Amino acid sequence: MVPRLIIVSNRVAVPGNEAPRQAGGFAVAVNAALKQREGIWFGWSGRVAEDGAAPQPTVVRRQRRTFITLDLSSVDFQEYYNGFANRVLWPILHYRVDLAEFTSVELTGYLRVNALFANALRPFIQPDDVIWVHDYHLLSLAKELRSLGHDNQADADNLRRYFEIQHGIAGPTREAVEFGGSYVHVRTFPVAIDTAAYARVAHNAVKSRLATGVRDSLGDRRLILGVDRLDYSKGIPDRIRAFGHFLDTQPKWLGRVTFLQITPKSRADVPEYAAIDRTVSAIVGQINGRHGEAAWTPIRYVNRFYSRASLAGLFRSAHIGLVTPLRDGMNLVAKEYVAAHDPDDPGVLVLSRFAGAAAELDGALIVNPHEVEAVAEAIGTALEMPLEERKERHAQMLAHLVTNDVDRWAERFLSALAESRQRTGALRHSDASPIGLSR
């Protein structure tokens, strides 16, 4: 009998309740993992409860899947989410140590919420369940669950170096380290998309009102598209400066190309995000003022959410996908851009070397996002690229995404999870501690 799967993440997308910002690639990945087995998806509801109210889990059942969510108090939200998770862990994990602001109060809140989640999940756990924990918000959850008596449970190179340098430990293989009486198995599992399904959605969405309206407004101009949350890790100011430099140095494209940057705002309560919003708006205004004409605006900067289906139509319509984060564990937008395109007339992906997707999508034009002149040059190369080269680059990337789709990703991780418990040898069966980094 296949054991139940319990997936834990910071946020849960309950079917029928998702806001546009929630219905993203991660929800698709989780649903793929739950496709073939009974399971539970547990996490924060996204709601803040009144202070003093004891949080009670909300349970929603949909066929073989159970969705369990928990509200947070305003104090927990501030210390756990806005505080330690987004002002310490997020910048550190994206190599922006200079932006980390640590306080012991927020660390206490972070640990408190992880313990709260563990205690709320505890009554739903059965002995044979497999528990798969996601998100940097929940780094201490496994420890909390083990302390309650439950034994169900990039970057991989960084984690290996941590064991070797900080603890002087080298495992018997590069994938196993003995630590604290347990074997910790370390492997990378690059998160994927439902490639075939997304291609079908894009094929239909290209005729949607949004995609048709954008194309009609462009006339015969080329479309360059960027889609990101408003976050300092995404490199949006550098990207826009690069487009401005492109117009400065290649004036033959003036009036012939439009850059559409779709950037939903997030984490508005965190000061760094308000600051980057002001910065981006100022740069956009400067470039539009310098190059714009009465009948042509070089950059369209939009701060709103669109559904994944709507974006699929825009991806398919865009001649260039500009995906240039300063640091990103994966970046599913890059994969979705490739999957969305017509193989007979595909666009060109310009991709940051610092996105995890760059290790898989080697048919893209790979750039250093800090090098404004190099990104500008890549934009020019993409606009001039012959059809045959575009088709060749796209075909090799699409083939990889078809072979390594979201079903294969879930299968690989869950197989490795089961295998790790069998490979602990003389160690106690309950001490198997696989750590999968889905980047």
Side-chain angles (χ1 to χ4, degrees):
M1 180 178 178
V2 178
R4 287 195 318 172
L5 176 63
I6 298 179
I7 290 180
V8 187
S9 63
N10 174 58
R11 295 288 288 271
V12 176
V14 180
N17 295 348
E18 308 99 322
R21 73 186 66 187
Q22 293 174 282
F26 179 69
V28 174
V30 168
N31 285 319
L34 292 170
K35 187 183 298 184
Q36 302 299 329
R37 61 173 75 196
E38 182 182 356
I40 293 173
W41 189 0
F42 176 93
W44 177 37
S45 65
R47 296 186 296 268
V48 177
E50 296 181 8
D51 288 337
Q56 298 297 322
T58 298
V59 180
V60 176
R61 291 184 172 84
R62 297 283 189 271
Q63 297 178 335
R64 299 175 65 194
R65 303 176 193 179
T66 301
F67 300 84
I68 304 173
T69 58
L70 199 67
D71 296 350
L72 292 178
S73 70
S74 59
V75 173
D76 285 343
F77 172 75
Q78 187 59 43
E79 294 177 359
Y80 153 78
Y81 184 75
N82 274 351
F84 194 77
N86 285 319
R87 303 198 71 182
V88 178
L89 293 179
W90 181 262
I92 288 175
L93 292 172
H94 289 82
Y95 292 71
R96 291 301 306 272
V97 181
D98 58 308
L99 296 179
E101 296 186 10
F102 173 84
T103 70
S104 58
V105 170
E106 291 176 345
L107 172 59
T108 300
Y110 178 86
L111 297 175
R112 182 178 65 248
V113 171
N114 273 254
L116 175 69
F117 275 29
N119 279 286
L121 179 59
R122 183 180 188 181
F124 300 96
I125 300 174
Q126 298 175 5
D128 293 331
D129 288 343
V130 173
I131 303 175
W132 187 359
V133 181
H134 295 261
D135 289 335
Y136 63 96
H137 308 76
L138 303 169
L139 294 180
S140 63
L141 181 64
K143 177 178 180 293
E144 296 291 345
L145 289 172
R146 289 183 185 278
S147 71
L148 294 173
H150 298 290
D151 58 11
N152 320 67
Q153 269 268 18
D155 180 275
D157 287 336
N158 283 344
L159 185 56
R160 293 186 188 105
R161 283 197 294 270
Y162 167 77
F163 283 121
E164 293 170 0
I165 295 173
Q166 298 296 324
H167 297 280
I169 298 171
T173 71
R174 279 188 56 77
E175 293 185 357
V177 175
E178 187 175 354
F179 181 75
S182 301
Y183 268 136
V184 179
H185 296 275
V186 183
R187 291 173 58 183
T188 55
F189 298 88
V191 68
I193 63 171
D194 191 340
T195 308
Y198 198 82
R200 289 193 297 270
V201 169
H203 181 269
N204 295 326
V206 76
K207 302 173 185 176
S208 68
R209 179 181 299 178
L210 174 63
T212 301
V214 170
R215 287 197 305 275
D216 289 346
S217 70
L218 291 171
D220 60 356
R221 298 186 182 97
R222 304 283 186 88
L223 174 63
I224 300 173
L225 180 64
V227 177
D228 312 81
R229 286 186 305 103
L230 185 62
D231 190 290
Y232 50 77
S233 69
K234 300 300 183 181
I236 298 171
D238 302 89
R239 179 186 311 167
I240 295 174
R241 290 190 187 99
F243 180 71
H245 186 74
F246 164 73
L247 295 179
D248 292 340
T249 56
Q250 301 198 41
K252 70 177 183 178
W253 287 102
L254 291 173
R256 297 174 56 198
V257 63
T258 295
F259 177 26
L260 171 59
Q261 177 64 51
I262 297 176
T263 305
K265 294 183 180 180
S266 67
R267 302 169 185 165
D269 295 336
V270 179
E272 289 82 1
Y273 290 84
I276 194 173
D277 183 29
R278 293 191 296 270
T279 298
V280 172
S281 296
I283 299 170
V284 170
Q286 291 165 6
I287 295 172
N288 283 341
R290 185 165 74 245
H291 290 297
E293 301 171 359
W296 171 63
T297 301
I299 303 173
R300 301 179 184 180
Y301 179 52
V302 181
N303 293 128
R304 60 161 293 178
F305 291 92
Y306 292 97
S307 69
R308 293 183 74 241
S310 296
L311 290 176
L314 291 181
F315 287 152
R316 193 175 177 94
S317 302
H319 297 84
I320 298 176
L322 204 50
V323 184
T324 56
L326 303 181
R327 178 67 60 174
D328 225 335
M330 172 50 69
N331 196 297
L332 293 179
V333 165
K335 294 187 174 184
E336 290 173 342
Y337 178 81
V338 173
H341 268 265
D342 179 358
D344 293 326
D345 187 18
V348 180
L349 176 63
V350 177
L351 179 61
S352 167
R353 62 182 293 187
F354 302 120
E360 299 180 83
L361 303 179
D362 53 3
L365 296 180
I366 305 298
V367 297
N368 183 333
H370 298 279
E371 298 177 356
V372 168
E373 293 180 359
V375 176
E377 184 178 343
I379 291 173
T381 299
L383 289 170
E384 303 279 2
M385 188 177 292
L387 175 61
E388 288 307 311
E389 182 179 353
R390 287 191 279 124
K391 290 169 65 174
E392 181 179 349
R393 287 174 174 271
H394 178 263
Q396 69 185 66
M397 292 189 291
L398 184 62
H400 175 84
L401 295 182
V402 169
T403 302
N404 298 278
D405 68 359
V406 71
D407 290 324
R408 176 60 177 149
W409 167 76
E411 175 189 332
R412 287 182 62 239
F413 184 90
L414 295 173
S415 295
L417 194 66
E419 177 188 348
S420 68
R421 296 177 69 86
Q422 301 168 3
R423 292 172 59 189
T424 53
L427 293 176
R428 292 184 299 111
H429 176 76
S430 62
D431 281 339
S433 303
I435 299 177
L437 302 180
S438 302
R439 60 174 193 169

